């Protein structure tokens, strides 16, 4: 076989082995972003245990999330006209989103000379809530312990009761 025939057969064979290649291909993706209303919390009312009379016996004042008070031990609530209130906060945000609630478990109240402790601080919803039409109310109560012989005076928490909410 001649060299030219061999080259011709080789060229034909090589041409049969090649395939056509596309240099480029394109696909498209839709890109979206959804912005929601930022969650916020506003103060609505302070926590107020009312007027309390102490004695020589330790006692407790339990302020429920609905603002009602029960007493135990050596304390009483002498004035029926004094309004007690749970701390209240308004949460605003997106539609029916859920959110977490955080707050301290205890706070101290002082009159400058003596300190009383509020324990068992709880929100009515627990540690989570759900917005209804973009809003929700958080009511917070606790238990004030009044030791025997506590000095008379107005006791307050100068740094405040901080409640934080975050979207889940």
């Amino acid at each position: 076989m001649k060299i030219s025939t061999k080259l011709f057969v080789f060229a034909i064979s090589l041409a049969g082995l090649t395939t056509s290649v596309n240099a480029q291909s394109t696909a498209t993706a839709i890109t979206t972003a959804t912005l929601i209303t930022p969650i916020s919390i506003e103060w609505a009312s302070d926590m107020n245990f009312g007027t309390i009379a102490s004695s020589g016996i330790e006692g407790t004042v339990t302020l429920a999330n609905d603002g009602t008070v029960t007493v135990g031990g050596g304390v009483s609530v002498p004035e029926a006209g004094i309004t007690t209130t749970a701390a209240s906060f308004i949460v605003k945000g997106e539609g029916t989103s859920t959110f977490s609630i955080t707050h301290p478990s205890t706070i101290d109240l002082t009159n400058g000379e003596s300190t009383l402790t509020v324990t068992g601080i709880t929100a009515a919803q627990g540690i989570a809530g759900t917005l209804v039409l973009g809003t929700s109310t958080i009511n917070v109560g606790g238990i004030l312990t009044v030791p025997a012989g506590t000095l008379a005076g107005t006791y307050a928490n100068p740094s405040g009761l901080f409640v934080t909410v975050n979207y889940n």
Side-chain angles (χ1 to χ4, degrees), residues 73-95:
V75 296
S76 62
V77 181
E79 296 183 38
I82 299 297
T83 302
T84 58
T85 56
S88 186
F89 303 88
I90 307 298
V91 180
K92 295 180 182 177
E94 185 69 26

Side-chain angles (χ1 to χ4, degrees), residues 20-36:
S20 91
V21 176
N22 289 331
Q24 128 183 11
S25 179
T26 303
T28 302
I30 304 293
T31 305
T32 63
T34 303
L35 300 177
I36 62 172

Side-chain angles (χ1 to χ4, degrees), residues 14 18 26 36 52 57 81 87 93 95 97 99-100 107 139 154 158 164 166:
L14 190 58
T18 62
T26 303
I36 62 172
I52 302 160
I57 301 170
S97 297
F99 58 92
S100 63
I107 57 172
N139 294 319
T154 300
T164 303
N166 287 300

Side-chain angles (χ1 to χ4, degrees), residues 54-73:
S54 68
S55 68
I57 301 170
E58 181 177 290
T60 59
V61 181
T62 301
L63 178 62
N65 296 321
D66 66 2
T68 59
V69 168
T70 56
V71 296

Side-chain angles (χ1 to χ4, degrees), residues 91-112:
V91 180
K92 295 180 182 177
E94 185 69 26
T96 58
S97 297
T98 60
F99 58 92
S100 63
I101 304 166
T102 56
H103 52 73
S105 58
T106 65
I107 57 172
D108 288 331
L109 309 180
T110 183
N111 72 350

